[in-house]
Amino acid sequence: MKKILIICSVAWLMVGLSACNKQFDPLLNNPNYPSPSTADVDLYLNAVQLNFVNFFEGVSTYGAQLSRQQFWGGPQYSNAYQPATFDGIWTTAYTGVLSNANSLIPLAEAQQKYIQAGIAKVLKAYTICTLVDVFGDVPYSEANLGDANTNPHVDASATIYANGLALLDSAIADFNKTGAVKVPSDLFYNGSASKWITLANTLKLKYYMQTRLVDNTVPAKIQALMTTNNLINSASQDFAFQYGKNLASPDSRNPHYGNNYVNSGGPGDYLSNYFMWKVTAQKYNGSVTLLNSPASTVGDPRARFYFYRQVLNSASFTQTTVPCAYLPNPPAWYPSVPDQTPFCYVGKGYFGRDFGDNSGSSPDGNFRTTWGIYPAGGEFDQNQAASVTLGMGSGGNGISPIWLSSYTYFLEAEAALTLGITVNGTPDQLLAQGINASISKVINFPTAIGYNIPSNYMPTTTQVSNYVNSVLTNYAAANTAGKLDIIESEYYIALWGNGVEPYNNIRRTGSPKDVQIAVATPTPGFFMRSFFYPSVFVNRNQNAPAQKTPGVAANKVFWDNNPDNFIK
């Protein structure tokens, strides 16, 4: 995240400099204190967008850890994180996104820069609703008022959601206004009002689906959105932030690349053994199956794009470098049926870390599997078995996949199954569309960023169909609960690089149901249904609610009405 913070600091400085250069009159203005009314709307917009991406990546990291998409050390839900852990995302949201958006919106509207105002409203809506999703009740109506209110009260979560939806409607109205001024600084859609409208509608679908368990009015709203169908349903409409290859001044690389493709010592992160198993082995009786030539018939076409292996087997593991490889399955897995996820090592070089493993790190850096070409801009796995190095692969010009067309199809499949809304297809048809959209996005991603994949490693149409058909066969044989689990599991796999949605989905649906059990203890406590309030909030705000009690099941957000022990 450091590179984005640097960019944001530069962008904010540019706002001030632009104000001085454009509006300075030595008799009327103090150049050291430019007012918001003299600021440049487009430079404000830069600050909003870059802080927004920083906020997304911060929330995504913690959500991915808790949902087993990335590694979580635990060992107890109550002590895995501290309130200060969440200070960064809280500060970025309020001082980076919301404060700048609140200053930008009236200024842009006064200058008839309606697209800029609409963009700020969409990003503000996403931010406030995501704050609710991870913290619950937070300040909104009294927030960012400066000296007028330095101790804002929290608003009810459902009220904030309603405000977020109203912001999306207001943004759509802005995008539809005539006389809109060109947008030179739109980092997502190059100033396309129609694509921003499509995103706003899609986010409305997301938030309606998020509240489907607690609001009986949303099915009609969901049906209306799906019927109109102005939703993100093609790769050209995807809401993703594109990174670059620049190493310094500023570092513009995808953060997962920057953390793992270094000069020596191996990757800085552990990937989740559970997630790698889910992609490479779960459907194949636990044996890792990879596509590597036209002769291969089974395997997830995305595996070599998602993960890069530094070794191809465990032959070089020793008790010193990878001690867990010499240990039996954790006692925490007994006396119940042992967890089906393999302990310590997935197979064929896929080596990460198990959920809740709080043991010390061994000198295993040269064996860790790391992020591949998608979405981090890393190396494509073609059995090189070479250690990661700085600049390897695509140099970090990956993406933050905030909302992709595949996500829309999976949400629609859930709506079709659980609410009976089939205007855009049956659940299995929408499931198939979601899988196909995800695979297409991933396998075509290298070409999109100028990276060449050897032709014999490019999945064929037959290989893709085999994968999709195998999922549909399992879907047809499942009961209703099993069908939902298959939809959510495929959605989970497609979400690689986005930890916001799997954390939401597992709390809403309980899926994937086969998530790995914590290895360090059979009783890690109640799953974290929301984050602790940040220390910068509870320690500095006299009106902040009491800090959440660690390990208490009641720490649920307003749309989560599932049982206390719903998630392992």
Side-chain angles (χ1 to χ4, degrees):
M1 308 316 155
K2 179 171 64 177
K3 62 182 174 299
I4 299 179
L5 290 174
I6 293 171
I7 297 171
C8 292
S9 298
V10 172
W12 182 245
L13 177 61
M14 290 172 69
V15 171
L17 291 176
S18 174
C20 294
N21 291 337
K22 290 186 176 183
Q23 303 292 337
F24 175 56
D25 181 325
L27 298 177
L28 299 177
N29 296 301
N30 184 339
N32 295 314
Y33 298 97
S35 67
S37 64
T38 62
D40 187 300
V41 167
D42 294 305
L43 292 178
Y44 254 134
L45 186 60
N46 277 341
V48 173
Q49 292 175 104
L50 293 170
N51 276 287
F52 171 79
V53 175
N54 196 9
F55 170 73
F56 167 81
E57 284 290 347
V59 176
S60 179
T61 294
Y62 302 123
Q65 291 170 357
L66 287 167
S67 59
R68 281 83 159 175
Q69 195 193 51
Q70 294 182 40
F71 166 64
W72 176 80
Q76 296 283 333
Y77 288 117
S78 61
N79 63 16
Y81 304 107
Q82 301 299 319
T85 303
F86 307 107
D87 285 354
I89 58 176
W90 183 272
T91 302
T92 300
Y94 280 101
T95 66
V97 181
L98 301 182
S99 178
N100 284 318
N102 290 343
S103 296
L104 180 156
I105 291 167
L107 187 62
E109 290 176 338
Q111 297 178 17
Q112 296 186 345
K113 293 185 175 181
Y114 299 121
I115 296 179
Q116 289 91 325
I119 293 171
K121 290 175 184 178
V122 170
L123 301 185
K124 179 179 176 180
Y126 185 105
T127 300
I128 63 173
C129 290
T130 302
L131 286 170
V132 166
D133 291 340
V134 297
F135 293 116
D137 295 347
V138 296
Y140 178 65
S141 61
E142 296 181 5
N144 296 114
L145 298 180
D147 292 342
N149 189 340
T150 58
N151 294 282
H153 292 84
V154 298
D155 292 80
S157 296
T159 301
I160 298 174
Y161 248 55
N163 276 279
L165 289 162
L167 277 168
L168 293 173
D169 285 334
S170 179
I172 291 171
D174 281 342
F175 295 134
N176 279 317
K177 287 178 181 175
T178 58
V181 180
K182 178 178 172 58
V183 184
S185 57
D186 179 356
L187 304 179
F188 294 97
Y189 289 132
N190 196 31
S192 171
S194 63
K195 288 184 177 180
W196 280 104
I197 291 173
T198 300
L199 170 63
N201 284 322
T202 307
L203 291 179
K204 290 172 67 175
L205 174 67
K206 161 181 154 72
Y207 298 130
Y208 288 144
M209 284 296 293
Q210 201 72 340
T211 59
R212 69 174 176 81
L213 300 177
V214 297
D215 185 351
N216 60 12
T217 71
V218 299
K221 299 170 185 175
I222 292 168
Q223 174 139 358
L225 282 169
M226 290 176 61
T227 301
T228 304
N229 204 26
N230 187 6
L231 304 168
I232 293 177
N233 51 32
S234 71
S236 64
Q237 300 167 316
D238 286 346
F239 183 50
F241 182 79
Q242 179 68 55
Y243 293 91
K245 295 184 178 183
N246 208 44
L247 177 62
S249 301
D251 182 348
S252 66
R253 303 169 301 167
N254 182 288
H256 299 300
Y257 184 95
N259 291 340
N260 293 286
Y261 285 80
V262 293
N263 279 320
S264 61
D269 299 332
Y270 284 104
L271 297 192
S272 162
N273 276 335
Y274 168 74
F275 187 77
M276 290 191 289
W277 167 83
K278 188 86 171 164
V279 174
T280 66
Q282 185 214 13
K283 296 181 179 72
Y284 316 108
N285 298 317
S287 176
V288 175
T289 302
L290 296 172
L291 300 175
N292 60 7
S293 72
S296 302
T297 57
V298 247
D300 192 315
R302 296 162 290 195
R304 292 181 179 274
F305 297 78
Y306 276 12
F307 315 121
Y308 174 74
R309 297 167 297 162
Q310 297 187 101
V311 295
L312 301 183
N313 54 56
S314 60
S316 53
F317 292 1
T318 69
Q319 285 185 300
T320 300
T321 56
V322 187
C324 64
Y326 294 83
L327 298 175
N329 282 356
W333 290 359
Y334 300 95
S336 61
V337 177
D339 191 293
Q340 57 186 324
T341 313
F343 172 61
C344 180
Y345 176 62
V346 179
K348 292 190 178 178
Y350 288 101
F351 169 63
R353 195 122 167 132
D354 296 297
F355 186 73
D357 182 355
N358 69 327
S359 61
S361 295
S362 58
D364 58 11
N366 290 326
F367 306 119
R368 297 179 192 176
T369 300
T370 193
W371 295 77
I373 183 71
Y374 178 90
E379 183 65 276
F380 175 78
D381 189 327
Q382 48 185 301
N383 299 340
Q384 302 99 313
S387 297
V388 296
T389 57
L390 186 66
M392 193 176 188
S394 189
N397 62 332
I399 60 170
S400 285
I402 305 168
W403 195 273
L404 307 182
S405 61
S406 59
Y407 307 173
T408 304
Y409 288 122
F410 289 120
L411 264 196
E412 290 185 308
E414 180 185 334
L417 180 69
T418 62
L419 301 175
I421 303 173
T422 57
V423 292
N424 289 336
T426 59
D428 57 328
Q429 290 171 336
L430 292 162
L431 170 62
Q433 286 181 286
I435 300 170
N436 277 308
S438 173
I439 293 174
S440 177
K441 178 75 176 184
V442 172
I443 67 178
N444 290 307
F445 181 74
T447 301
I449 60 172
Y451 184 97
N452 295 320
I453 300 297
S455 58
N456 62 309
Y457 281 98
M458 194 68 177
T460 66
T461 301
T462 299
Q463 290 168 338
V464 173
S465 328
N466 287 343
Y467 179 85
V468 176
N469 290 336
S470 71
V471 174
L472 293 179
T473 298
N474 292 335
Y475 181 89
N479 59 21
T480 300
K483 290 179 191 301
L484 180 60
D485 191 54
I486 289 172
I487 290 171
E488 298 302 326
S489 291
E490 292 304 312
Y491 190 6
Y492 177 74
I493 292 171
L495 282 165
W496 182 230
N498 180 326
V500 174
E501 302 310 327
Y503 184 53
N504 288 337
N505 294 347
I506 196 171
R507 290 177 293 163
R508 186 178 71 253
T509 69
S511 293
K513 294 189 180 301
D514 58 12
V515 290
Q516 187 180 41
I517 300 168
V519 302
T521 172
T523 55
F526 288 110
F527 181 82
M528 285 186 69
R529 304 288 270 268
S530 66
F531 297 169
F532 293 129
Y533 279 125
S535 62
V536 292
F537 176 47
V538 294
N539 294 342
R540 301 177 185 178
N541 187 327
Q542 296 175 0
N543 294 320
Q547 182 58 273
K548 298 170 186 178
T549 304
V552 173
N555 295 330
K556 303 173 187 176
V557 297
F558 84 103
W559 47 256
D560 177 2
N561 65 355
N562 287 305
D564 293 347
N565 57 354
F566 188 56
I567 307 165
K568 298 174 187 176

